[in-house]
Amino acid sequence: MKKNALACIAGLAGVALAAVAQAGTVRDDGLKPYEVVGDIAIPKPLTDKPGDPANGRKLVANRKKGNCLACHKIEQMKDFLFHGEIGPELTDIASNMPASEMRLRLVNPKIVNPDTIMPAFYRVDGLYRVMKKFQGKPILTAQEIEDVIAFLVTLKAPK
Amino acid sequence: MSRKGKNMTTGGGKLAAVAAGFLLAAGFVAGLSTPASACEECKGKYEVEGRKSGYLFSNPETRAIQDDDFANGGMLWVEKGAELWNKVDGKAGKSCASCHGDAEESMKGVYTVYPKYVQELGKLENLEQRINRCREANMGAKAWKWESDDLLAMTTYIGYLSRGMPMNVKIDGPAAPFFEKGKEEYFKRRGQLDMACKHCHYDHAGQYIRADLISEGRGGGAFPAYRLKWQKIGSLHRRFKGCNKQIRAQPYKAGSDEYVNLELFVKWRSRGLPVEVPAVRR
């Protein structure tokens, strides 16, 4: 995975247009453009409006939205039953990962780990046999991604 | 975490009691020739050469229902299948028994080798389809609809007659290309959540995904299985559909070539594991 950021996005979108990743350019899949840096981060937020952590918390629990609890344990969300154990615990994620890297994990974790089970929450291309009513739609909107990040950056284990 | 507590109310004793009451009311006990714990001998056989049946991932309450024929709701379908076996239907005026005689003799072991390649069809055929071929070609009767009570009952009955026997499908010779297709399906990412069967059932078997403990997704000897969630017996293809839909992938039709090929792969993954029909699952 030593491709440069632009080539990486273009490759994923199945388009040869390097311009696609430049801020302000309209992507052909209708999603907001973003720039991947060093294959591990998306430094710039997807939207101008700052994320809302309270809504982010709801999205993390909501089975029809983030459903992050299906796979991740989050100590601060003990008010919800049944946290899964598929992915690493996120209780202290803010101490271990900057927002820019969280953003890439949410937008498309397959750039970090091509074989991961974790869904790409902001992606509509390169998918197979998506149910009709979900076709062309990302799991989370750009604003919802920012809301989830705004919540994740509050997650620090009490020391 | 009170995961166990939840399991007890959704999948546990209460339902068992209800099911048992229902069976008694239906006069089931009188007509039953097998002892209550018919699968006693196959306990401990749920793991073969490291391959584990879904039974071992079920919670103890669910297992207890499976282990007790009087509580196992699937046994009603066995009983119904046995009745249908002797029922004359179709233009030829025949029942299954007219040609196959005593099912306990003629159908023993049959479940373990399906799906199998059929020369005349040029493709695989699973047990449901074989039953329907007999209905159409040999009885002049209409094919039973997929997931209909009659087809479920007959499939469950024939499965039950192999209970405890090891799964043993063939994947070589003319079956090989279909096996390869089924395997491809299992490893292909799909749906808005973009997962393959293998992401859950290979990579994360034995881990909880929210409240569900993921099994190795073999299930080869288990279906039709009685699912507490369905409150009914259901086919393996219905389970496939559920596994597709939960990741927002367009399912195939039950009985489609895609699912029959996938079924061969899943049943090969279950080779050596005992037939559990009717298994009980959450």
Side-chain angles (χ1 to χ4, degrees), chain B residues 172-215:
Chain B
D172 56 354
F178 300 94
F179 173 78
E180 286 306 321
K181 282 187 199 165
K183 186 174 175 182
E184 236 171 71
E185 285 289 323
Y186 205 89
F187 286 90
K188 184 145 179 61
R189 285 185 184 273
R190 64 191 66 233
Q192 192 194 34
L193 271 58
D194 197 28
M195 293 175 200
C197 316
K198 81 106 188 177
H199 285 107
C200 286
H201 293 301
Y202 274 69
D203 296 354
H204 296 286
Q207 294 176 340
Y208 276 96
I209 188 158
R210 213 119 193 198
D212 290 316
L213 183 59
I214 303 180
S215 75

Side-chain angles (χ1 to χ4, degrees), chain B residues 6-7 10-11 59 62 211-213 227-229 280-282:
Chain B
K6 167 123 191 265
N7 288 351
T10 53
N59 62 47
T62 310
D212 290 316
L213 183 59
R227 263 194 91 190
L228 302 173
K229 185 182 153 189
V280 176
R281 296 289 189 266
R282 197 152 79 91

